[in-house]
């Protein structure tokens, strides 16, 4: 009982920490009631499961790689959450046979009306598109429905995870929950051809995940894609030019850009290379003005600039004392993940997980120490005061840091834009030309999708 309560406490702490580690945006409806098999892509190790749990709207039992269960802290937490171990060949080939028990446990959880989370790719990776799908998810789904005589009503819900600076504190993640698949739709095929049905359902799950994820020809295309989408959105006034657009609202547009880019990669490789070079050149020239995210406006209106500078300046000035206090109080736990990374040197996909795990240890330890000192020096009143004030100071320090970074960049961009006015106007004109080329490519792509020949 104690371990279960402890695990639930850690999960709540992890969800709270995820909210501050990432800017989390969500598209789609929460996971429905009843038996549900949740499938997700897997770009960010344990963070993926935590984020799915954060947005699911109901308890979800994840499958996790077996070595995590051997960790003293993580093992207790995973068991308390009802997580199930997956024995991968790359971890220990001699234990792969145990997966039959894992799949049976997942099946029983579904029969009990629970939600189970599986990563069908079977590994975490940073590739530009989905990896080859394993068949275990389909086999679990069919086994559960067959045990229930096809009366279970099992649904499969695809969840796409798209990250921006996934290893960094204050990175972004867009979570897209797609249309569910009814396993019963494959009943007739399953009864005629068991393995054919498994392959068909696995293919359908892959297509469902492709609908909610961002898939590109290569990893190197990701910066190109984001730069192209940002300049298009600014030119079409879909976003404010200087805005650091939240990732979730941008995701559908990024997906359309990715699909058109993949088509162009095959249909016209020379144009693909030229457009890529032009967008990269545009972005490099934009950085001369100090733009790191977003775009430049066509013109700066003095009244808006003055108002923005006044509001940001006052907010930063008022929050400065609290931000300083929060930074000092939480400096050591805030820097502790860097020590962990230097000691363990985890793979890229696990950087965020190690950072969050370290923070989940360091911050509560520091907090407990502060509370003990407050109680020793000032008794119960001091204890209560410190317990309330310390977390607030930390949040203020984090938000102040974000505001300062953005305001500093914006004012630098304004100063450089005024100094290099002709250069800025040339970039705005080039942006208009690039958007015209994007629209021509999109039109050609749409024509081919409809089966009509493209014009020369």
């Amino acid at each position: 009982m104690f371990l279960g309560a402890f695990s639930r406490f850690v999960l709540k702490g992890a969800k709270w920490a995820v909210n501050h580690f990432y800017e989390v945006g969500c598209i789609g409806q929460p996971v429905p009631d009843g038996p549900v098999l949740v499938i997700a892509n897997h770009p960010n190790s344990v963070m993926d499961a935590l984020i799915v749990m954060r947005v699911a709207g109901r308890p979800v039992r994840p499958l996790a790689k077996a070595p995590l269960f051997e960790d003293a802290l993580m093992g207790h937490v995973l068991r308390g959450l009802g997580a199930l171990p997956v024995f991968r060949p790359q971890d220990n080939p001699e234990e792969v046979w145990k997966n039959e028990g894992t799949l049976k446990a997942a099946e029983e959880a579904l029969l009990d009306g629970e939600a189970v989370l599986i990563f069908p790719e079977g590994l975490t990776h940073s590739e530009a598109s989905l990896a080859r799908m394993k068949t275990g998810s389909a086999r679990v789904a069919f086994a559960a429905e067959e045990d229930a005589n096809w009366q279970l009503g099992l649904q499969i819900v695809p969840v796409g995870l798209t990250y921006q600076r996934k290893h960094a504190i204050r990175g972004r993640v867009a979570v897209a929950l797609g249309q569910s698949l009814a396993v019963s739709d494959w009943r007739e095929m399953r009864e005629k051809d068991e393995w054919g049905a498994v392959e068909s359902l696995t293919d359908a799950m892959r297509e469902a995940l492709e609908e909610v994820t961002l898939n590109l020809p290569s990893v190197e295309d990701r910066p190109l894609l984001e730069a192209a989408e940002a300049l298009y959105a600014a030119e079409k006034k879909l976003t404010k030019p200087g805005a650091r657009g939240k990732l979730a609202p941008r995701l559908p547009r990024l997906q359309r850009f990715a699909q058109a880019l993949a088509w162009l990669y095959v249909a016209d490789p020379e144009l693909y290379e030229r457009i890529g070079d032009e967008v990269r050149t545009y972005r490099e020239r934009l950085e001369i003005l100090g733009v790191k995210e977003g775009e430049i406006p066509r013109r700066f209106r003095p009244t808006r600039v003055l108002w923005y500078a006044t509001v940001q300046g006052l907010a930063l000035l008022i929050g400065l004392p609290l931000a300083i206090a929060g930074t000092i109080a939480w400096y050591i736990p805030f820097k502790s993940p860097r020590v962990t990374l230097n000691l363990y040197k985890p793979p890229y996909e696990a950087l965020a997980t190690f950072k969050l795990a370290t923070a989940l240890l360091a911050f509560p330890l520091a907090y407990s120490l502060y509370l003990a000192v407050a109680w020793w020096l000032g008794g119960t009143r001091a204890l209560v005061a410190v317990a309330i004030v310390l977390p607030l100071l930390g949040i203020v320090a984090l938000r102040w840091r974000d505001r300062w970074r953005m305001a500093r960049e914006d004012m630098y961009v304004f100063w450089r834009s005024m100094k290099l006015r002709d250069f800025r106007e040339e970039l705005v004109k080039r942006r208009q030309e690039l958007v015209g080329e994007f629209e021509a490519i999109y039109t050609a792509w749409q024509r081919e999708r409809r089966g009509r020949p493209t014009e020369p």
Side-chain angles (χ1 to χ4, degrees):
M1 182 180 294
F2 170 75
L3 287 179
F6 173 72
S7 300
R8 288 190 294 272
F9 171 77
V10 172
L11 176 63
K12 288 182 179 180
K15 288 181 177 179
W16 184 86
V18 163
N19 284 337
H20 294 282
F21 194 101
Y22 288 121
E23 177 191 284
V24 182
C26 190
I27 303 172
Q29 299 300 315
V31 175
D33 294 332
V36 175
L37 184 62
V38 180
I39 57 172
N41 61 317
H42 204 11
N44 203 10
S45 192
V46 177
M47 296 295 286
D48 296 332
L50 291 175
I51 289 169
V52 172
M53 291 178 181
R54 152 78 173 73
V55 304
R58 60 175 291 191
V60 176
R61 295 183 64 179
L63 271 66
K65 60 183 182 181
L68 291 175
F69 288 79
E70 299 172 6
D71 183 84
L73 175 62
M74 189 63 72
H76 287 316
V77 174
L78 290 172
R79 292 186 188 93
L81 298 174
L84 303 170
V86 176
F87 301 90
R88 307 184 304 172
Q90 59 265 45
D91 297 326
N92 189 344
E94 297 179 358
E95 293 188 333
V96 174
W97 64 271
K98 296 181 180 179
N99 280 328
E100 290 301 320
T102 299
L103 297 180
K104 186 63 178 176
E107 174 193 336
E108 291 173 353
L110 294 172
L111 289 169
D112 289 337
E114 298 184 64
V116 174
L117 168 62
I118 295 182
F119 299 100
E121 295 169 285
L123 76 165
T124 183
H125 65 91
S126 297
E127 297 303 318
S129 58
L130 294 173
R132 181 176 178 274
M133 303 276 284
K134 311 295 185 189
T135 60
S137 304
R139 288 187 283 124
V140 167
F142 282 133
E145 275 291 3
E146 287 169 343
D147 279 358
N149 196 26
W150 293 94
Q151 300 301 310
L152 184 60
L154 177 61
Q155 298 181 72
I156 299 175
V157 175
V159 178
L161 302 168
T162 302
Y163 291 89
Q164 196 175 57
R165 294 180 291 114
K166 70 178 181 181
H167 65 285
I169 296 176
R170 307 307 295 158
R172 299 184 181 114
V173 55
V175 189
L177 291 89
Q179 293 293 322
S180 62
L181 304 172
V183 179
S184 59
D185 290 346
W186 276 263
R187 178 177 181 177
E188 184 176 346
M189 182 183 294
R190 175 70 171 176
E191 290 173 346
K192 292 179 179 178
D193 181 359
E194 290 189 6
W195 185 247
V198 168
E199 290 184 328
S200 175
L201 181 55
T202 301
D203 290 342
M205 288 192 288
R206 180 181 182 85
E207 292 175 3
L209 279 178
E210 287 176 341
E211 288 292 323
V212 292
T213 54
L214 196 58
N215 297 279
L216 296 164
S218 68
V219 174
E220 291 74 19
D221 286 326
R222 178 69 184 267
L224 165 66
L225 176 75
E226 293 188 354
E229 183 274 336
L231 71 88
Y232 176 85
E235 182 62 27
K236 292 296 183 178
K237 298 182 180 180
L238 302 175
T239 60
K240 294 181 179 179
R244 283 78 176 172
K246 294 181 182 296
L247 186 56
R250 296 175 60 195
L251 182 59
R253 195 162 54 243
L254 285 167
Q255 288 176 313
R256 289 194 295 274
F257 266 74
Q259 291 165 1
L261 187 67
W263 169 80
L264 186 64
Y265 181 80
V266 175
D268 194 338
E270 291 185 5
L271 180 58
Y272 169 85
E273 291 291 339
R274 181 177 68 78
I275 287 292
D277 290 341
E278 290 181 359
V279 171
R280 291 185 189 95
T281 300
Y282 171 83
R283 192 68 212 181
E284 289 169 1
R285 300 185 72 192
L286 199 61
E287 290 175 0
I288 294 174
L289 298 179
V291 178
K292 296 180 180 178
E293 284 192 88
E295 282 285 328
I296 51 172
R298 293 186 179 182
R299 62 183 66 86
F300 288 97
R301 296 182 180 179
T303 53
R304 288 189 178 181
V305 172
L306 181 61
W307 175 252
Y308 175 84
T310 301
V311 171
Q312 296 296 331
L314 285 174
L316 289 168
L317 185 62
I318 293 171
L320 180 60
L322 297 177
I324 292 174
T327 301
I328 293 173
W330 296 109
Y331 182 80
I332 293 177
F334 184 78
K335 292 295 183 180
S336 60
R338 183 175 298 178
V339 177
T340 301
L341 297 184
N342 290 335
L343 287 174
Y344 290 95
K345 295 180 172 54
Y348 179 73
E349 289 78 14
L351 287 177
T353 298
F354 271 75
K355 286 183 178 181
L356 185 64
T358 303
L360 286 173
L361 288 173
F363 278 86
L365 284 174
Y367 189 52
S368 300
L369 180 61
Y370 280 128
L371 293 181
V373 172
W375 180 79
W376 181 55
L377 293 177
T380 304
R381 289 185 178 180
L383 173 68
V384 173
V386 170
I388 295 173
V389 170
L390 265 182
L392 295 177
L393 288 177
I395 294 172
V396 169
L398 196 61
R399 296 293 183 262
W400 191 94
R401 177 172 170 266
D402 291 343
R403 183 182 290 269
W404 164 247
R405 177 178 54 82
M406 290 189 292
R408 182 181 59 185
E409 179 185 330
D410 288 341
M411 295 312 296
Y412 180 74
V413 169
F414 171 71
W415 176 73
R416 292 286 292 173
S417 296
M418 293 296 100
K419 187 177 180 180
L420 304 171
R421 184 171 301 179
D422 291 342
F423 181 73
R424 180 182 65 82
E425 291 176 354
E426 180 185 335
L427 280 180
V428 170
K429 181 180 179 181
R430 184 62 188 131
R431 184 172 71 198
Q432 294 172 336
E433 294 170 351
L434 284 170
V435 167
E437 293 192 65
F438 294 164
E439 291 178 330
I441 292 169
Y442 183 82
T443 300
W445 171 54
Q446 289 293 87
R447 282 176 178 161
E448 184 164 303
R449 289 182 69 188
R450 298 189 191 103
R452 298 207 303 264
T454 57
E455 296 178 1

